[in-house]
Amino acid sequence: MLTKTLLILAAVTTIALAGQEMPRFDYSISRKIMLTWDDRWEVGGSNMLAILSKDKKIIIRVKVSGDTGGGMKRMLFYKCPKNSVEESIDLSSLATTSTTDRCSSTISFQVSALKSVDDTDFQLAMGSSKLSYTEVFRERIEFFIKIEYATGELVSNRLFVWSLDAISSFSSASTSTSYKKRFLTDAAVNYMKKTSTATSGFDSIQFLEPAISRVLKEAPDFFKAKMNLGSILYFDAGSCLTFQMGKSIMFVNYNSKLDDDNQNFQKLMKLNIDDGKLWYSACGLRNEACEVVPGISPNVTILSGMDFTAIVCPIICNDKTEVFRFYRNDVQMVGSGDEWTYVDGLRISRTGNIVEFPHTLSNRHSGVYRCEAGSKSFSFKVKVISLPQFQTETFVSDSHAKITGLLPPKVYAIEDEYVSYSCIVNFASLETVKIEPVFYFVETVGGSQSWTKMTLDEFRSKVNTDGADFFLNATSAGKDSKRLTATVRRVPPVYTTYGTNFSHRFVCDVSIDRSESMMVGMPTYKVQSGGGDVVFIPRLTRKQFVLNPNNNCSVQGCGFSKGAFFEFSLTDEFMAYLTRVGVDVESYLRLDNDLLDNVKILFNNASEISTTNAPQRLAYKIYPVSSPDVAKELVKRKRLIPVYNFRYRTGSNIANLKLDKERHGEPIAALGQSDCRQDSLCFYSTDFDIGSSLSFLPVSLNFKMPTEPEPAAANSIIIGVVIGIICLIVVIILIVYWVRRQPERAYLVEEKEIQLGHNPKEEAKAEVFKEYQRVPNQAGDEDGAAVVPLQGNRMSLGSSLSVASGDDKELDQYKDDIDFKEFGEQGSFIGGYQNDPRKKEVFEAAGGNEASV
């Protein structure tokens, strides 16, 4: 009894745990890894970075889903520059306004709460930076979020925030007090004020202070690509006083600034970051047409996931109407005449001298980009670095198409079925990408549920499976992608020893080495696949159903006069469990191999399907049948089968999920999409098991064609018909007998005479009536003695005939039949023989001699 109780308790606990969801961050999937001001950091994605200046803000969104046990605490942890100590802020206690400066000695910031529907948004506002210009590419603030709940904690990936304000605070050697806070030289300031004059067709000035140029050389490669264009965006500004070259805008987001004027302006000047010189043309004052700016590095690294990053042709010309052309791997990128034209996910400017790389880059965008103007040309060798992400995008025209490598958010693992789920990570120009599985298993400890991180072997021991039934396979899906696949050949049943089942959370954890993460300004880089809640569902048995005990036709007596009623249902408890774990249930009735709804003849006031607690209960009522067509349809039908299909919800991401429904046979064409094998979202159907464990579900129909009229009257008619047929046969036999009757064969003596070859009737006509007597043999025995004519006078028949043999019995019959007293005088006999057959026969036997008679 104790063992049985423990098994029941284990089963109940198993069902309860299977419905639990591990707490996780809820965030939008994006390939963007660099934030600018007013962007939103949705906590839970990959590591990200941001470049922010004083007074710039971003929003921190912290959303958590799953079962946290009724409460949680949201904490923001941070590490200041030059400090390895982690400090924290309780986000739950924040006010909507904050004046507390954090990291005040390096890069200061403030955090405050924002009013939102579910209190998930907070604001990060940047303060001033006290870093030296030499430290801007080495120091940053590091943030992460920790969620603390009753039985565990949830930790996010990192956000790294940079500030470049120290560059704009650089004290230049300029003698002009108006420009003490600039990193520009006096020559640059005079040039911007348009007080300098070129002495030749093409010239240069030292635009950046050499000290700044040396610092920029230390910047990560992706920074350099941004600065190359940003430094000359505002040359057409009306006043130098409003020209803030040091602001981070010059490094990150310039897309909206590049109108036709700015595009053409890039044809006239070019800044070389490596030496800080600005090269410019004399704008038609000299005869030289075009020139390549010296010292420009042909090697360009562009980071995918950032805002638009541009490469600008380093050829400057005297005439801004000069035609520029860009070629990608020797194929010209032709614009359509619009300000920007998309070509294979890239953008080419109308002026032809600028190519922009959006954040949706992949390795296929790496290559050689050659520009031409006049008689000059220059080639860039572009290397695209794409950090590992589980979702890629194709950029065609102005639309995006997303290709996901994410695990399905939920995987339903029904006992004894096959299921396989994968994650695919995409990247570019990286060599150290690692993809590893992580298992989280829910257990009840001290009455509380806890999610424990496990290795593959630990997980296998908990669910009682081995490498033959559950295994992992890591493969390269291409040069720039890796796939991790978990395959379950047979989902194991409940492991009653521990009261555990196959429910778990599966995560693909991806990382790269520090040597490669530092190329993009982050000490570490990690990203998780998200999703991956694997939910166990037990194989269905009779205990999951409530069936009408009268479903069997032999019990309820299905018939045309009374109809029939059938009822099927899942139990309330099982249906509640399926609803809790997110399974959609669709049900229908099968009539043999047809969808009952499609057998239209049965629904012309002949029968009705009804559902309550849809789709849990199915009921089918057949009304008394009066239509011959309905009767014929019911007679030819053999089985009524309730079918329950278990499905992923509409809109679910199952791109990387594989099932094996083919093992349950070919789809039934007449069922269409109602057949689970035809429905991509359906993972199990009771139809799979009606030939085995669910053989009790189908109902045998037993309708027989009725006859007219009703059975009682019909039986009377049948009996009468049979009696009539018998009587008719008897009459026919009698008629045949009388027609074929031969009178001469009517008596035994005559029959024997005929057999001896005599004709008694003819002999009687030819012979005169004689009297005979039997002569005894020597022994005195008359038996068998000869019969001889009597010698002497005639005697009466009654006194002279001795009957001793069986053959002579006929004579006694004649004697009895002919009573001479009846006839009286001789004439009376003769006068009546013509009307009496018997008299006539005697008369003829006497040869017609009245005397003999």
Side-chain angles (χ1 to χ4, degrees):
M1 177 62 73
L2 178 60
T3 302
K4 184 176 180 181
T5 303
L6 288 176
L7 291 178
I8 293 174
L9 180 61
V12 172
T13 303
T14 293
I15 292 294
L17 294 181
Q20 300 298 317
E21 290 188 359
M22 178 181 169
R24 82 289 309 274
F25 292 110
D26 192 355
Y27 59 95
S28 302
I29 303 298
S30 173
R31 292 194 65 200
K32 191 173 182 179
I33 63 168
M34 174 176 277
L35 304 177
T36 58
W37 56 90
D38 297 333
D39 273 344
R40 184 170 56 222
W41 177 35
E42 294 193 47
V43 176
S46 66
N47 286 29
M48 304 188 80
L49 56 88
I51 303 175
L52 300 174
S53 296
K54 182 180 179 181
D55 298 328
K56 300 301 180 182
K57 304 175 180 67
I58 62 171
I59 296 172
I60 304 173
R61 174 162 293 177
V62 185
K63 294 185 70 174
V64 177
S65 59
D67 301 307
T68 59
M72 62 178 177
K73 186 177 182 180
R74 289 172 291 192
M75 303 292 294
L76 172 65
F77 284 78
Y78 64 93
K79 284 198 303 184
C80 298
K82 305 180 182 181
N83 194 339
S84 60
V85 178
E86 291 181 350
E87 302 180 62
S88 64
I89 303 172
D90 185 353
L91 296 178
S92 304
S93 63
L94 281 180
T96 54
T97 59
S98 176
T99 57
T100 303
D101 282 337
R102 319 280 178 169
C103 301
S104 56
S105 62
T106 51
I107 304 175
S108 65
F109 67 91
Q110 298 175 349
V111 180
S112 59
L114 292 177
K115 292 182 179 180
S116 58
V117 176
D118 47 5
D119 296 327
T120 59
D121 290 352
F122 305 88
Q123 180 176 271
L124 171 66
M126 299 304 297
S128 60
S129 171
K130 293 182 172 57
L131 294 177
S132 164
Y133 74 95
T134 60
E135 299 171 322
V136 293
F137 297 118
R138 297 199 304 265
E139 302 293 342
R140 61 215 155 254
I141 312 172
E142 182 177 335
F143 295 95
F144 68 93
I145 297 290
K146 180 184 288 186
I147 304 297
E148 299 174 354
Y149 55 96
T151 58
E153 62 182 28
L154 187 62
V155 180
S156 76
N157 288 320
R158 267 54 173 173
L159 170 67
F160 301 97
V161 177
W162 305 70
S163 173
L164 305 183
D165 286 353
I167 294 179
S168 62
S169 299
F170 176 74
S171 299
S172 90
S174 172
T175 58
S176 172
T177 56
S178 301
Y179 299 99
K180 287 183 178 179
K181 300 294 186 181
R182 302 290 184 270
F183 53 81
L184 305 179
T185 62
D186 285 340
V189 173
N190 291 331
Y191 182 82
M192 291 172 59
K193 295 169 69 175
K194 299 180 181 179
T195 58
S196 64
T197 302
T199 59
S200 63
F202 303 96
D203 207 346
S204 66
I205 58 172
Q206 187 64 41
F207 192 76
L208 300 179
E209 286 284 354
I212 293 296
S213 294
R214 288 192 295 270
V215 170
L216 295 180
K217 286 183 179 180
E218 300 175 5
D221 288 343
F222 75 92
F223 268 121
K224 294 177 181 179
K226 288 294 185 183
M227 291 184 288
N228 189 31
L229 179 62
S231 297
I232 51 177
L233 287 181
Y234 289 127
F235 269 12
D236 58 338
S239 169
C240 294
L241 297 178
T242 62
F243 183 58
Q244 299 295 319
M245 294 296 294
K247 298 300 183 181
S248 61
I249 188 172
M250 79 179 203
F251 300 107
V252 286
N253 192 345
Y254 67 90
N255 179 50
S256 62
K257 310 299 187 298
L258 283 183
D259 55 17
D260 279 355
D261 288 339
N262 277 313
Q263 291 176 18
N264 282 312
F265 200 64
Q266 311 305 313
K267 297 178 179 180
L268 306 178
M269 59 185 60
K270 174 68 178 176
L271 175 65
N272 187 343
I273 293 295
D274 289 338
D275 60 14
K277 288 185 177 181
L278 178 68
W279 288 83
Y280 56 92
S281 73
C283 299
L285 297 179
R286 296 293 185 267
N287 293 326
E288 297 89 341
C290 299
E291 188 69 42
V292 177
V293 172
I296 298 295
S297 173
N299 299 314
V300 177
T301 299
I302 297 178
L303 178 62
S304 176
M306 301 180 67
D307 289 305
F308 287 97
T309 302
I311 55 173
V312 180
C313 183
I315 301 174
I316 55 177
C317 301
N318 274 315
D319 186 356
K320 66 179 181 180
T321 63
E322 185 72 44
V323 176
F324 281 68
R325 298 180 180 87
F326 248 110
Y327 298 82
R328 175 187 171 196
N329 297 326
D330 294 328
V331 178
Q332 185 178 356
M333 304 176 69
V334 181
S336 64
D338 294 332
E339 190 168 277
W340 294 97
T341 302
Y342 284 95
V343 179
D344 192 23
L346 305 178
R347 301 210 312 173
I348 181 73
S349 68
R350 177 158 48 198
T351 54
N353 62 324
I354 305 173
V355 174
E356 288 188 343
F357 293 77
H359 69 280
T360 55
L361 295 178
S362 64
N363 187 53
R364 66 189 180 89
H365 292 117
S366 296
V368 177
Y369 290 77
R370 185 180 79 255
C371 68
E372 295 180 352
S375 60
K376 307 297 182 181
S377 69
F378 185 88
S379 296
F380 291 103
K381 294 180 181 178
V382 175
K383 176 182 180 182
V384 173
I385 294 180
S386 179
L387 293 177
Q389 296 283 343
F390 288 97
Q391 183 162 284
T392 60
E393 296 176 75
T394 59
F395 202 122
V396 180
S397 186
D398 291 324
S399 62
H400 291 72
K402 295 182 179 180
I403 303 173
T404 182
L406 293 170
L407 286 165
K410 280 192 177 179
V411 174
Y412 296 113
I414 190 159
E415 180 183 344
D416 208 35
E417 284 292 304
Y418 171 98
V419 65
S420 178
Y421 37 97
S422 303
C423 60
I424 305 172
V425 63
N426 298 280
F427 53 90
S429 303
L430 296 173
E431 303 294 335
T432 63
V433 177
K434 298 177 184 176
I435 183 169
E436 298 175 315
V438 179
F439 296 90
Y440 293 93
F441 195 77
V442 62
E443 298 179 285
T444 299
V445 179
S448 300
Q449 295 169 3
S450 175
W451 289 86
T452 305
K453 186 175 181 180
M454 292 184 175
T455 64
L456 175 59
D457 290 339
E458 291 172 336
F459 173 71
R460 282 175 175 161
S461 67
K462 280 293 183 183
V463 298
N464 194 29
T465 187
D466 56 28
D469 282 335
F470 179 67
F471 58 92
L472 295 171
N473 187 26
T475 59
S476 294
K479 179 182 178 182
D480 299 310
S481 63
K482 290 188 177 182
R483 178 193 296 267
L484 181 62
T485 303
T487 301
V488 191
R489 295 189 186 278
R490 175 182 171 274
V491 175
V494 173
Y495 192 17
T496 53
T497 302
Y498 295 112
T500 56
N501 61 46
F502 198 67
S503 292
H504 63 281
R505 182 167 173 80
F506 179 73
V507 175
C508 297
D509 195 349
V510 177
S511 63
I512 60 176
D513 287 352
R514 178 182 175 87
S515 60
E516 291 192 320
S517 66
M518 285 303 295
M519 290 193 307
V520 294
M522 291 185 280
T524 61
Y525 179 83
K526 287 188 175 183
V527 63
Q528 288 76 38
S529 58
D533 286 326
V534 181
V535 181
F536 173 80
I537 298 177
R539 197 85 180 184
L540 274 68
T541 62
R542 185 182 290 271
K543 67 182 181 180
Q544 275 86 38
F545 292 90
V546 178
L547 305 177
N548 189 327
N550 297 325
N551 274 350
N552 198 316
C553 272
S554 63
V555 176
Q556 64 173 299
C558 306
F560 294 109
S561 60
K562 63 178 292 187
F565 180 73
F566 309 96
E567 188 174 23
F568 315 87
S569 179
L570 295 172
T571 63
D572 290 339
E573 295 79 9
F574 188 59
M575 192 65 191
Y577 169 68
L578 294 176
T579 301
R580 186 168 68 251
V581 299
V583 175
D584 273 355
V585 179
E586 289 187 355
S587 60
Y588 63 92
L589 289 171
R590 246 181 67 190
L591 196 59
D592 296 329
N593 282 342
D594 291 319
L595 194 64
L596 178 58
D597 287 320
N598 292 340
V599 186
K600 302 300 183 183
I601 192 171
L602 296 182
F603 293 97
N604 188 17
N605 299 320
S607 65
E608 178 186 12
I609 300 174
S610 61
T611 58
T612 56
N613 300 326
Q616 181 176 350
R617 176 182 174 273
L618 283 171
Y620 182 50
K621 182 174 181 60
I622 301 175
Y623 300 113
V625 178
S626 59
S627 167
D629 292 337
V630 173
K632 289 179 182 178
E633 186 67 34
L634 287 173
V635 166
K636 74 179 184 180
R637 297 297 182 170
K638 304 303 179 185
R639 291 201 307 173
L640 179 69
I641 307 167
V643 179
Y644 291 89
N645 287 347
F646 295 176
R647 306 175 72 252
Y648 289 89
R649 288 181 174 169
T650 302
S652 297
N653 168 30
I654 59 171
N656 297 311
L657 175 70
K658 183 180 179 182
L659 305 173
D660 184 19
K661 295 182 286 188
E662 291 80 6
R663 72 188 187 100
H664 296 293
E666 293 294 324
I668 300 174
L671 299 180
Q673 287 296 311
S674 294
D675 191 314
C676 182
R677 288 158 289 202
Q678 296 273 67
D679 183 355
S680 61
L681 293 176
C682 182
F683 62 90
Y684 171 76
S685 175
T686 55
D687 220 14
F688 295 166
D689 292 333
I690 60 171
S692 54
S693 60
L694 301 183
S695 59
F696 57 85
L697 279 180
V699 173
S700 296
L701 302 179
N702 190 24
F703 287 90
K704 296 183 178 179
M705 182 61 72
T707 57
E708 295 295 343
E710 288 297 320
N715 290 340
S716 300
I717 293 175
I718 291 172
I719 293 172
V721 170
V722 171
I723 293 174
I725 291 173
I726 293 174
C727 293
L728 180 61
I729 292 173
V730 171
V731 170
I732 292 173
I733 291 173
L734 290 174
I735 292 174
V736 171
Y737 171 75
W738 286 107
V739 169
R740 300 184 63 183
R741 177 177 176 273
Q742 297 180 15
E744 61 271 19
R745 296 178 179 268
Y747 304 101
L748 295 176
V749 174
E750 291 181 353
E751 179 67 24
K752 191 163 186 177
E753 287 296 322
I754 292 171
Q755 291 176 357
L756 293 174
H758 300 292
N759 190 339
K761 185 175 181 179
E762 295 298 326
E763 290 176 356
K765 291 180 179 179
E767 187 175 13
V768 178
F769 184 84
K770 298 179 179 180
E771 295 182 358
Y772 293 85
Q773 67 178 1
R774 194 178 297 280
V775 180
N777 57 22
Q778 293 180 356
D781 187 4
E782 292 183 357
D783 200 20
V787 180
V788 298
L790 180 65
Q791 302 294 326
N793 299 325
R794 292 184 297 181
M795 298 178 65
S796 66
L797 182 63
S799 61
S800 64
L801 183 61
S802 173
V803 182
S805 70
D807 294 340
D808 294 334
K809 291 180 181 180
E810 285 291 293
L811 297 176
D812 291 333
Q813 183 67 40
Y814 275 110
K815 178 181 178 182
D816 292 337
D817 291 341
I818 303 174
D819 188 352
F820 288 101
K821 293 180 180 181
E822 177 184 355
F823 302 108
E825 293 293 328
Q826 183 180 29
S828 301
F829 178 85
I830 296 172
Y833 84 93
Q834 293 178 345
N835 297 322
D836 189 332
R838 290 183 299 170
K839 294 178 182 181
K840 182 177 180 180
E841 184 178 357
V842 172
F843 183 80
E844 292 177 351
N849 190 314
E850 294 181 359
S852 297
V853 172

